[in-house]
Amino acid sequence: MRIPSGRNHMACLAFYNNAGLQLLLWSTASSSLCSWKHRIWLMKKKKPMSLHTTACQQDRPDRNRSLLSKQSLGQNFLYDDGYIQRICNQVNFDVENGGKRIVEVGPGLGALTRILHQRYPNMTTIEIDRRAVDHLHSHFPRLEVIHQDVLSTDWKALAESRGGPLAVVGNLPYNITTPILFALIKNSCHIDHAILTMQLEVARRITAKPRSKDFGVLSVFSQIHSKPSILFPIPPSVFRPIPQVTSALIRLDFQPQRSTELLQHVTTEELTQVVRTAFQQRRKRMSNSLKSLTTRLQKNLPEDIQNRRAEELRPEDFIQLTEYLFGHRENIYIPQTLK
């Protein structure tokens, strides 16, 4: 890069750290600083954000400098080999068929794919980014890559074509984590389990217990359809670009038989109405938070529920409440939850 020169100037060098942040290194050739004009000139010389690559990593597909993360897709690529290995070690499924029923969503540069594909040569990936699809095809020619939005995936058809319920693995984009989770929950009868990285805050909401600040809509639906658990936290430094939040690896073991039994008298739409309405004003008593719904359905809440808040009910309690409000049962008993 051409360095602007001038009287009483010192040299100004722009470089980029591992996070892709521009830093300025000023020499001490002169006691005076570069003029603001020259500083602005340097800032205009920004180059695209790239991943740091050492000479010994040039042949690694997940260290590709030309494939940059897209903010619009919420991409933060896994970068640390230790954590990549730890995540991959959690996957142990369909070994006898070469992982035919393993599906990785959003593989990006292939950080997880590089290890998983060696262990499970028949696995499948789903990727929306055309650049990443081309990248994966070039580095893993035998890997099946489905180029589409994960939110438009027909999980039933995919499971049937692979011979049974799937194991879903992936580093989820922060900006669509919740929609992906609800898509998996909706198709839980076609998915055995999911092992996913996501924002720690979201992971805590999934596993939260009643009477806690994190307990909410996502907690209710996740725990009705699965047994969720946080495997371990993941620091920001593991990703490129480095996010401002801590992540976590979470496992959801779906329980379609249990959820089918619990929901046999209500529809998903009815339950969704009750849960979302109750948590829209989570700090208010149920008599107030559900007033619009009870008025429309011409139902009065039992006295022992009127003074409770949404966060005090267990996931299965919401099913009972939905059955009562929509006329599928005459009486309900919801015990008090302990903190």
Side-chain angles (χ1 to χ4, degrees):
M1 181 184 76
R2 183 175 66 87
I3 303 298
S5 59
R7 197 169 114 186
N8 295 327
H9 284 168
M10 63 179 178
C12 306
L13 299 176
F15 69 99
Y16 294 77
N17 68 357
N18 288 351
L21 301 176
Q22 187 181 57
L23 303 176
L24 296 179
L25 178 65
W26 306 88
S27 76
T28 56
S30 171
S31 59
S32 61
L33 295 176
C34 285
S35 67
W36 283 108
K37 180 178 179 181
H38 287 151
R39 295 189 199 184
I40 295 173
W41 183 90
L42 280 171
M43 294 301 291
K44 287 182 179 179
K45 288 292 184 178
K46 287 182 179 179
K47 63 180 180 180
M49 184 182 298
S50 61
L51 298 180
H52 174 71
T53 309
T54 60
C56 63
Q57 297 172 332
Q58 294 294 340
D59 59 341
R60 287 275 296 275
D62 57 327
R63 297 293 191 266
N64 188 290
R65 292 177 64 93
S66 62
L67 185 58
L68 310 179
S69 63
K70 277 188 176 181
Q71 187 175 3
S72 61
L73 297 178
Q75 292 174 327
N76 292 84
F77 299 132
L78 282 163
Y79 194 76
D80 183 276
D81 286 339
Y83 275 92
I84 291 172
Q85 191 70 49
R86 286 184 68 186
I87 294 170
C88 291
N89 287 344
Q90 297 295 325
V91 182
N92 183 16
F93 186 73
D94 198 29
V95 179
E96 62 278 6
N97 295 313
K100 188 177 180 180
R101 291 191 284 141
I102 293 177
V103 178
E104 183 186 0
V105 297
L109 293 173
L112 298 177
T113 316
R114 183 175 60 86
I115 297 176
L116 291 176
H117 189 44
Q118 292 176 353
R119 301 177 182 178
Y120 306 102
N122 296 327
M123 65 177 286
T124 302
T125 59
I126 301 174
E127 176 59 59
I128 190 175
D129 190 343
R130 178 76 257 181
R131 305 168 309 153
V133 171
D134 295 338
H135 172 84
L136 293 168
H137 278 312
S138 64
H139 288 88
F140 309 102
R142 295 186 179 181
L143 174 68
E144 180 169 359
V145 183
I146 301 175
H147 180 210
Q148 70 176 28
D149 185 348
V150 65
L151 295 177
S152 63
T153 300
D154 186 339
W155 292 103
K156 178 181 179 181
L158 187 59
E160 289 175 350
S161 68
R162 298 303 185 272
L166 308 167
V168 179
V169 184
N171 172 32
L172 300 187
Y174 290 142
N175 60 349
I176 58 168
T177 295
T178 300
I180 291 176
L181 288 171
F182 276 109
L184 297 179
I185 289 171
K186 183 179 179 181
N187 292 276
S188 59
C189 56
H190 308 300
I191 303 172
D192 182 85
H193 67 274
I195 298 174
L196 309 164
T197 65
M198 63 187 67
Q199 192 170 337
L200 178 59
E201 178 185 347
V202 178
R204 286 173 174 165
R205 284 163 49 199
I206 291 173
T207 58
K209 301 301 181 184
R211 290 183 175 270
S212 67
K213 66 176 183 178
D214 294 319
F215 188 74
V217 176
L218 189 56
S219 316
V220 172
F221 283 96
S222 297
Q223 293 170 34
I224 286 175
H225 291 274
S226 73
K227 183 179 180 181
S229 58
I230 297 177
L231 300 179
F232 52 81
I234 305 175
S237 58
V238 167
F239 301 91
R240 295 295 185 274
I242 297 178
Q244 297 181 344
V245 295
T246 299
S247 300
L249 185 69
I250 189 170
R251 179 179 175 120
L252 296 98
D253 288 290
F254 291 105
Q255 303 171 315
Q257 184 174 351
R258 174 179 178 271
S259 60
T260 299
E261 292 175 358
L262 287 172
L263 300 171
Q264 60 182 323
H265 299 303
V266 298
T267 66
T268 301
E269 290 73 19
E270 291 171 343
L271 180 62
T272 301
Q273 285 186 58
V274 174
V275 176
R276 290 193 181 278
T277 303
F279 278 102
Q280 279 179 352
Q281 299 172 305
R282 60 180 296 131
R283 297 302 302 165
K284 288 192 174 183
R285 301 182 191 279
M286 300 281 276
S287 57
N288 291 323
S289 62
L290 289 176
K291 188 173 183 178
S292 61
L293 189 59
T294 55
T295 300
R296 178 166 61 84
L297 297 176
Q298 297 182 344
K299 279 278 191 176
N300 294 320
L301 289 175
E303 290 185 7
D304 62 329
I305 297 178
Q306 290 181 10
N307 293 328
R308 298 196 203 178
R309 296 180 174 88
E311 61 188 31
E312 298 177 13
L313 272 63
R314 301 169 302 168
E316 52 268 33
D317 295 337
F318 280 100
I319 298 175
Q320 280 197 57
L321 181 57
T322 302
E323 291 174 345
Y324 172 78
L325 290 176
F326 283 89
H328 303 307
R329 67 187 300 164
E330 295 183 1
N331 300 300
I332 58 174
Y333 170 69
I334 298 179
Q336 293 280 356
T337 55
L338 300 177
K339 196 168 184 178

